[in-house]
Amino acid sequence: MVNPTAEVRPWTPGDRPPGPSALDGGDPLLWSVRPWGEEPAGPVVLDEMERGRAAAFRRPQDRAMYLASHTALRVLLGGVLALPPAGVTLVRLACPGCGALHGRPAVAGPAGGRVHFSLSHTDGLALVALAVRPVGVDVERLPSAATAMDVSTALHPAERAELERLAATERPAAFARCWTRKEAYLKGTGEGLAGEALGGAYLGTGPSPGAQPDGWTVVDVEVPAGFAAACAVAAA
């Protein structure tokens, strides 16, 4: 897998979607998405469940981010699948832990074996990844130093020790690097944050991942200042 930082590109309404051959190189492709307004064209392509979720957000900025990111996902998937965005049917796979249908999201039917995707959004920024293999992405705003140390209790003991050795000013970025690596990987496997790897696998807090999960490659993704992001893709 080539480091995807060079692959990250902004997506805005009206951009030409990728074609069916876009993933032929084998590496995941990533797009960044920003909210573009209160009433984008998103509801036209979103399904009934997505429209209901969008309407449930109380803050207009959260609703705009949801609409933008989920519209982008459907447009990008539609491009590689040669389908209209509204014609892409999404499902949930079985959870690897309990078997219930709340695992990794996927494209329904045989196409789901050819095109995999992941979507993550936080306040003001989203990432979409498409790949020919299972993939996960996560993007987060940097937390405060206090929040970083409070939540670090869920991490691997060696990662907690690394954070404790850092100056308080360095902890938010280091924690966010580690957290996004873990969450990208756990989204890729479908386990989610309940997965044992959150505290049981060591990925590190340093400038690059300190280790790699068996059968996966995890890399950091370059995003604007104030955010951290990572991408995980299954081995070929």
Side-chain angles (χ1 to χ4, degrees):
M1 172 182 172
V2 177
N3 190 321
T5 53
E7 298 287 349
V8 179
R9 64 204 70 183
W11 185 91
T12 58
D15 285 354
R16 182 186 296 275
S21 63
L23 298 175
D24 287 354
D27 287 338
L29 299 181
L30 291 94
W31 289 263
S32 62
V33 184
R34 294 279 195 173
W36 62 78
E38 261 301 286
E39 297 182 359
V44 175
V45 304
L46 301 185
D47 65 21
E48 183 177 354
M49 181 179 295
E50 290 166 326
R51 292 195 297 271
R53 288 176 176 171
F57 285 106
R58 294 187 176 183
R59 298 200 314 162
Q61 57 266 44
D62 293 335
R63 183 166 55 254
M65 185 74 263
Y66 182 93
L67 291 171
S69 59
H70 285 259
T71 297
L73 173 64
R74 284 186 166 275
V75 170
L76 294 167
L77 282 172
V80 298
L81 295 170
L83 291 172
V88 177
T89 302
L90 304 178
V91 296
R92 284 278 185 174
L93 301 179
C95 170
C98 69
L101 296 178
H102 57 230
R104 185 165 52 87
V107 177
R114 303 193 311 269
V115 179
H116 301 264
F117 69 88
S118 184
L119 167 64
S120 176
H121 53 80
T122 187
D123 184 16
L125 182 66
L127 284 180
V128 176
L130 303 185
V132 294
R133 302 186 297 278
V135 64
V137 290
D138 186 51
V139 60
E140 305 284 349
R141 277 195 178 272
L142 300 191
S144 67
T147 297
M149 293 310 295
D150 286 345
V151 184
S152 71
T153 56
L155 299 178
H156 188 280
E159 294 162 345
R160 297 199 300 269
E162 289 173 3
L163 289 172
E164 290 169 357
R165 290 194 293 269
L166 294 175
T169 54
E170 299 176 309
R171 288 172 181 167
F175 169 82
R177 286 193 296 263
C178 184
W179 186 269
T180 55
R181 293 165 189 165
K182 293 287 185 78
E183 188 160 354
Y185 168 61
L186 289 168
K187 288 174 71 174
T189 64
E191 298 171 78
L193 289 178
E196 294 182 359
L198 183 62
Y202 172 80
L203 293 182
T205 66
S208 60
Q212 295 290 345
D214 186 33
W216 288 76
T217 299
V218 180
V219 294
D220 296 332
V221 175
E222 186 175 352
V223 285
F227 297 90
C231 175
V233 64

